[in-house]
Amino acid sequence: MPTPHVVVVMGVSGTGKTTVGRLLADELGVPYAEADDFHPPANIEKMRAGVPLDDRDREPWLDAIGAWAHGRLGKGGVVSCSALKRAYRDRLRAAAPGLFFLHLAGDRDLIAQRLEQRRGHFMPGALLDSQFATLEPLRGDERGVTLSVTATPEEITTRVAAALRALPAASRSAALPTEKPENPMERSHGSD
């Protein structure tokens, strides 16, 4: 059964945003959008050259993702987006209120190893440190959940899909089923 929620799968490069995003969209019966497809060519070239994007570079990208999410309000959808800073998430929420953020988190060494194995992507592993330096984890007043990428994409998908289906469409809180997190990388976050 489709869910009316719009989910942003966030995190640094190499956490599996695309993999989990596609699995989650399939599970929920809603469309999936890949954030990389919203980047203007200049941004892709800059990243390919190993130059981190600045906030000005990200503005039109975030606005395009926000417009897509706005168009899915009440119908549901899943989009991947690094959404590393609170300000970026606020910009997305301004365009599409009520977004649910799934933060895929892991330690730097694990993510670096994953990036080394990835082929055919414009994002070089050399930018990973800048992404971790930029990352502002979800805060308690943000609607979403942080899950460790030590779980499989399928396990993450199952947990998040079940939690979303249990939420009323207009819910202001977003908690996964009550259980003690195994580690600090699994945290639920409340309303936005």
Side-chain angles (χ1 to χ4, degrees):
M1 167 188 354
T3 175
H5 302 285
V6 180
V7 180
V8 177
V9 183
M10 63 168 283
V12 299
S13 187
T15 54
K17 294 184 298 290
T18 298
T19 300
V20 171
R22 287 182 175 148
L23 286 170
L24 185 58
D26 286 346
E27 176 67 23
L28 298 174
V30 297
Y32 171 74
E34 171 61 50
D36 291 343
D37 295 340
F38 293 93
H39 273 300
N43 282 9
I44 292 173
E45 287 309 311
K46 196 171 182 178
M47 288 183 283
R48 192 173 273 141
V51 179
L53 299 179
D54 60 29
D55 287 353
R56 181 173 228 117
D57 295 324
R58 288 187 178 94
E59 287 175 358
W61 174 66
L62 290 167
D63 290 344
I65 293 167
W68 183 90
H70 180 83
R72 298 303 312 162
L73 290 176
K75 298 179 269 189
V78 177
V79 61
S80 63
C81 176
S82 54
L84 299 176
K85 286 186 180 180
R86 169 70 184 253
Y88 304 160
R89 297 188 298 271
D90 287 345
R91 192 174 186 110
L92 292 171
R93 275 190 293 267
L99 291 175
F100 183 96
F101 289 87
L102 167 56
H103 178 193
L104 299 177
D107 74 34
R108 192 218 172 275
D109 291 341
L110 173 63
I111 303 304
Q113 184 179 37
R114 287 181 173 198
L115 282 176
E116 287 174 18
Q117 297 168 353
R118 189 161 72 173
R119 301 285 176 251
H121 193 274
F122 61 82
M123 179 69 156
L127 292 182
L128 184 60
D129 287 334
S130 73
Q131 288 205 333
F132 271 104
T134 301
L135 177 63
E136 296 173 2
L138 289 175
R139 296 184 190 154
D141 64 335
E142 294 188 272
R143 188 170 183 244
V145 65
T146 298
L147 294 177
S148 173
V149 296
T150 56
T152 68
E154 293 79 11
E155 289 168 338
I156 293 169
T157 298
T158 298
R159 289 191 66 200
V160 174
L164 287 168
R165 286 185 176 124
L167 290 175
S171 173
R172 301 295 291 170
S173 67
L176 287 174
T178 53
E179 60 184 59
K180 185 118 175 124
E182 294 176 18
N183 64 55
M185 299 309 288
E186 290 190 23
R187 290 186 289 273
S188 295
H189 305 277
S191 63
D192 53 3

